Amino acid sequence: MAEMYIRIAEEENEEPMEIPSEDDGTVLLSTVAAQFPGACGLRYRSPVSQCMRGVRLVDGILHAPENGWGNLVYVVNYPKGRKMDEIDASSATKIKRGDQKTSDLIVLGLPWKTSEQDLKDYFSTFGEVIMVQVKRDVKTGNSKGFGFVRFTEWESQGKVISQRHMIDGRWCDCKLPNSKQGPDEPMRSRKVFVGRCTEDMTADELRQFFMQFGEVTDVFIPKPFRAFAFVTFADDQVAASLCGEDLIIKGISVHISNAEPKHNNTRQMMERAGRFGNGFGVGGFGERPKLMDI
């Protein structure tokens, strides 16, 4: 018997897909579900009554109507409630995207020579830029090494935040200023600390390994080697889900933890003071830092 196809669509007015029938003219529900996951049956509009009719289903086998399958278009049935859930989810996504507005992003680590035009030329490759600014000293007019950029589209902003940027030969970071984060919108880290690494682990190997959990935007291994690495994900939730885990890479157990942001001023001051020998004096740094004037 020649193979016969019947026309099936997810919705009545959509373009149908042809599904093969079995030798006896029936159609397996599994064949339909292979093309329309979650399908639980078929229905069609009667040419006579113009009402929707269900196709008989017995033990996973769909049987043709009395006059055969014909050239009718059969519509997929889904379990009750599934379609409404999808509509609600789709609507919620559209509403959420519509509410998302862009913010001023701070660009850290700018080279002294970078101008507003340089910034605009660079960031315009990600989308339409509506504002750029390089912060400068009021008296000298020299750059302070950071600036701001703002995009028209929220998607462009997301792309920029998810990666590091090489601007005028220097790596720069672009992020939301802490002041833009409300109490219900904490600054979440997309970076994790990978401890107990071995020297034979390369950045490419770490990238390939962690890509199984989500999109990886950056891998950093300090040089000289210090037995740890940093991995940055596009999604902060992926990073959060891995913290505290022990994972096996190349037969070695590594530990994943939070990558602490470098904003601890006290620690930085102590490290700086330590370079002068005796550290803090009675009046904070004491007299030792004056050696810098020599």
Side-chain angles (χ1 to χ4, degrees):
M1 180 178 176
E3 191 171 44
M4 183 178 71
Y5 289 83
I6 67 170
R7 300 194 299 167
I8 298 177
E10 193 161 32
E11 296 291 347
E12 192 172 6
N13 296 323
E14 290 185 359
E15 183 178 354
M17 172 183 292
E18 291 187 331
I19 301 292
S21 66
E22 301 302 303
D23 291 342
D24 60 358
T26 60
V27 174
L28 299 179
L29 180 59
S30 59
T31 303
V32 177
Q35 303 301 324
F36 302 94
C40 64
L42 294 176
R43 66 185 187 276
Y44 65 99
R45 188 171 297 281
S46 168
V48 178
S49 66
Q50 292 301 306
C51 294
M52 297 301 291
R53 291 183 178 179
V55 174
R56 188 159 58 95
L57 173 66
V58 180
D59 297 331
I61 299 174
L62 291 158
H63 296 265
E66 184 177 350
N67 297 323
W69 295 107
N71 291 321
L72 298 174
V73 174
Y74 296 84
V75 181
V76 178
N77 287 338
Y78 290 104
K80 186 177 180 180
R82 198 201 91 155
K83 214 56 184 169
M84 285 305 298
D85 290 343
E86 289 181 350
I87 293 172
D88 291 344
S90 176
S91 299
T93 300
K94 290 179 181 178
I95 292 172
K96 185 178 180 182
R97 287 181 178 175
D99 288 344
Q100 291 172 326
K101 298 180 180 179
T102 59
S103 303
D104 292 350
L105 303 180
I106 187 169
V107 187
L108 302 172
L110 284 177
W112 307 121
K113 65 179 182 179
T114 301
S115 67
E116 276 86 359
Q117 189 60 51
D118 294 331
L119 269 189
K120 186 171 183 179
D121 290 344
Y122 175 81
F123 284 112
S124 291
T125 61
F126 294 90
E128 183 180 356
V129 175
I130 58 176
M131 185 279 296
V132 291
Q133 181 185 24
V134 174
K135 296 299 289 183
R136 300 182 182 278
D137 185 275
V138 177
K139 294 181 179 179
T140 66
N142 294 330
S143 169
K144 290 186 177 182
F146 70 95
F148 295 91
V149 61
R150 186 165 187 164
F151 292 89
T152 303
E153 300 294 334
W154 190 86
E155 288 76 7
S156 301
Q157 174 176 303
K159 290 178 184 178
V160 168
I161 293 176
S162 69
Q163 59 186 280
R164 301 191 77 195
H165 304 275
M166 178 64 74
I167 302 176
D168 286 341
R170 184 172 180 179
W171 283 110
C172 302
D173 291 305
C174 199
K175 59 184 68 178
L176 283 168
N178 289 336
S179 60
K180 294 291 183 181
Q181 299 293 331
D184 58 341
E185 247 185 308
M187 180 71 79
R188 296 173 180 169
S189 176
R190 296 176 291 105
K191 184 184 296 185
V192 296
F193 176 89
V194 185
R196 303 197 295 254
C197 292
T198 56
E199 202 160 358
D200 63 337
M201 293 179 184
T202 67
D204 284 341
E205 287 173 336
L206 290 178
R207 181 183 295 273
Q208 289 297 321
F209 177 83
F210 283 102
M211 279 177 59
Q212 65 182 297
F213 304 105
E215 182 184 352
V216 174
T217 61
D218 186 57
V219 176
F220 175 72
I221 300 177
K223 292 182 181 180
F225 180 71
R226 296 169 62 187
F228 66 82
F230 291 101
V231 176
T232 305
F233 293 93
D235 189 341
D236 56 13
Q237 293 185 352
V238 174
S241 68
L242 292 177
C243 289
E245 295 288 332
D246 291 305
L247 305 174
I248 304 298
I249 304 177
K250 298 183 70 173
I252 302 297
S253 176
V254 300
H255 183 71
I256 313 300
S257 59
N258 285 317
E260 293 294 335
K262 295 181 180 179
H263 62 267
N264 191 325
N265 293 332
T266 303
R267 181 179 176 183
Q268 290 176 351
M269 291 170 63
M270 292 180 66
E271 289 177 347
R272 182 179 178 185
R275 291 201 295 269
F276 299 111
N278 292 337
F280 292 96
V282 175
F285 281 100
E287 299 299 321
R288 302 289 293 182
K290 292 183 178 179
L291 292 174
M292 293 180 66
D293 299 329
I294 298 175

